[in-house]
Amino acid sequence: MHSQLVVSLSGIGPQTLDRCAELAAALDPRQVPLSLLVVPRELGTAQEWVRQRASLGDAVVLHGLSQRRLPAYEAGLLLMGARLQMDAIGLNADTFAPRRCVASPGTLLALAKHRFKLCADAHAVREVGSGLATLGRLHALTERSSFGELRSLALVYATARSARRGGLTRITVDARDLHRPGARQAVLDAVDIALAHDAAPTTYVRLPSPRQASAA
């Protein structure tokens, strides 16, 4: 079974915009779209770039709510506020990714109430309504305090193993990491090895539902 490849990008803002654009420009010839993890209040002047990328086929994903034990009522208020901010800048999203890769039970309840379709956490992409999930852990360049060749190789090898197994392969990139030597190349190497294993590029928004995947 061939793998599906999702590359997500967080940390988008005025200070990282050049790095975001460079990564997107490197992925375009590879025909790999980005899932853009957006915190609307942090976008600033980067919002026009996000709108442009969305018009080219990148997916917009609401990013935030880092508290692991956030109750449903409070999560709902924060989601409503974020949606209002998104509307104000001409963006919309029905897919959510928690800021620390873990969504609290209260957040999942609030997502369902506010009609979000998907939640992409550290281990899977979940249908909010049904609770069904497409498994696939995130592969990332982590710990911005250090970066080196071993970290780069770890990302590439982990991505290769995932793509060989089939199913869902996910690479996540924090734009704030891309200033480190070799970071962007490590991401591109990981993408290339996934493509070499016939992974099909897609976004969170375009992923088939778990029902479709199980029926295939």
Side-chain angles (χ1 to χ4, degrees):
M1 179 177 64
H2 292 318
S3 179
Q4 291 180 301
L5 172 65
V6 173
V7 181
S8 59
L9 176 65
S10 64
I12 304 168
Q15 302 302 317
T16 61
L17 182 54
D18 287 347
R19 298 172 220 155
C20 294
E22 288 172 0
L23 179 65
L27 291 175
D28 283 345
R30 294 167 166 84
Q31 297 184 316
V32 175
L34 282 165
S35 293
L36 303 172
L37 276 52
V38 167
V39 181
R41 70 177 182 276
E42 296 177 2
L43 280 181
T45 55
Q47 62 186 253
E48 179 56 38
W49 180 80
V50 171
R51 283 194 292 267
Q52 179 188 18
R53 292 300 308 180
S55 72
L56 296 173
D58 288 354
V60 177
V61 177
L62 183 63
H63 192 41
L65 308 188
S66 61
Q67 298 94 327
R68 295 190 178 197
R69 297 184 180 180
L70 199 64
Y73 176 73
E74 190 175 341
L77 291 177
L78 293 172
L79 286 171
M80 283 193 294
R83 271 206 160 150
L84 287 172
Q85 292 173 336
M86 293 282 275
D87 290 343
I89 59 177
L91 295 172
N92 61 76
D94 59 12
T95 299
F96 176 78
R99 195 185 267 275
R100 291 184 180 174
C101 302
V102 177
S104 71
T107 297
L108 292 173
L109 288 173
L111 289 170
K113 180 178 179 181
H114 292 277
R115 298 184 179 179
F116 280 79
K117 293 182 179 179
L118 297 173
C119 179
D121 66 22
H123 306 290
V125 181
R126 306 179 190 281
E127 281 188 346
V128 172
S130 69
L132 295 174
T134 301
L135 298 180
R137 66 183 290 267
L138 285 169
H139 303 295
L141 294 169
T142 57
E143 299 181 23
R144 286 190 295 276
S145 59
S146 63
F147 182 82
E149 185 177 354
L150 289 179
R151 195 170 303 282
S152 170
L153 290 174
L155 175 65
V156 174
Y157 289 156
T159 302
R161 286 195 302 270
S162 177
R164 281 197 301 268
R165 286 195 301 264
L168 179 58
T169 296
R170 295 197 290 161
I171 300 170
T172 187
V173 187
D174 189 325
R176 292 167 291 187
D177 288 329
L178 291 175
H179 75 286
R180 297 201 172 269
R184 184 170 69 96
Q185 190 57 51
V187 173
L188 296 178
D189 288 345
V191 168
D192 286 341
I193 202 163
L195 296 176
H197 285 94
D198 295 325
T202 187
T203 66
Y204 285 134
V205 173
R206 296 204 296 266
L207 273 176
S209 75
R211 297 185 192 87
Q212 292 172 315
S214 61

